[in-house]
Amino acid sequence: MDPQKPGIWSRRDFFSRIGWAGFGVFSFLSLIGFLRSAFPRVLFQPPSTFKAGFPSDYTAGEVSDKFKQDYRVWIVREDEGFYALFAKCTHLGCTPNWLQAEDKFKCPCHGSGYYKSGLNFEGPAPRPLDRFQITIAEDGQLLVDKSMTFKMQAGAEPDEQYPQSILKA
Ligand code: FES
């Protein structure tokens, strides 16, 4: 072979090909990045509001589990009105259970207990259960908005901390 005549795999060709290959990979990754930004991944989250039926569907003194599974919310009806409790223990976030016979919420994880109002009274929970805003929708149904949280502080009755968390209906 003529040493002056470069072969198909001369050193310069080799590096040129590596260069082009690198450019190709870069371009391909850039294209992927562009396409991903053009079609952002959508996070399917449950809507923050939900309708919880008509006030007449509830009886005074009732703690309804109906929306606990799907929305992690208890609807409580008392004589003075409705409130929506977040079914999330304020200790480490487990989901408590409503124990009708004992008239309290009890967390299965470390034993925190809460009165029907959400006030903590036993176990390691540091503060009462939070509440969500509850209003009446145009069609007359209860409307819970989970984006509007009444965050409870330690050591005070939830009704006194946030009287506006109670829907008079
Ligand atoms: S998470 Fe409820 S008591 Fe610990």
Side-chain angles (χ1 to χ4, degrees):
M1 192 167 92
D2 181 352
Q4 302 293 38
K5 201 172 167 198
I8 54 166
W9 284 105
S10 71
R11 181 179 294 221
R12 192 190 298 161
D13 275 356
F14 178 73
F15 285 114
S16 166
R17 280 165 201 242
I18 293 275
W20 278 109
F23 179 73
V25 168
F26 174 77
S27 303
F28 178 72
L29 292 177
S30 300
L31 180 67
I32 297 280
F34 171 75
L35 289 175
R36 284 190 62 172
S37 69
F39 301 97
R41 275 173 294 171
V42 177
L43 273 179
F44 289 101
Q45 292 183 320
S48 69
T49 61
F50 67 92
K51 288 185 176 172
F54 293 93
S56 57
D57 297 340
Y58 297 84
T59 52
E62 178 184 358
V63 174
S64 174
D65 266 344
K66 228 187 296 179
F67 301 96
K68 183 181 164 191
Q69 178 84 32
D70 290 344
Y71 297 99
R72 217 175 175 187
V73 170
W74 289 292
I75 308 289
V76 183
R77 177 168 201 178
E78 295 285 33
D79 289 332
E80 61 269 34
F82 291 85
Y83 51 90
L85 283 175
F86 189 12
K88 181 178 178 183
C89 183
T90 56
H91 179 223
L92 293 177
C94 289
T95 303
N97 297 303
W98 168 243
L99 306 181
Q100 176 74 43
E102 296 172 49
D103 203 32
K104 69 177 184 183
F105 298 99
K106 186 76 174 166
C107 184
C109 292
H110 315 98
S112 289
Y114 303 85
Y115 294 125
K116 194 191 281 183
S117 68
L119 182 67
N120 55 308
F121 70 94
E122 64 180 354
R127 58 185 190 84
L129 296 169
D130 294 325
R131 295 181 181 185
F132 296 121
Q133 186 182 69
I134 183 166
T135 54
I136 296 280
E138 347 52 73
D139 62 0
Q141 291 197 59
L142 298 170
L143 183 69
V144 178
D145 187 349
K146 292 187 69 182
S147 70
M148 301 289 289
T149 306
F150 298 107
K151 195 168 174 61
M152 300 297 168
Q153 303 301 312
E157 277 290 346
D159 289 2
E160 288 163 15
Q161 293 190 50
Y162 289 107
Q164 67 272 43
S165 67
I166 302 173
L167 170 69
K168 312 253 188 252

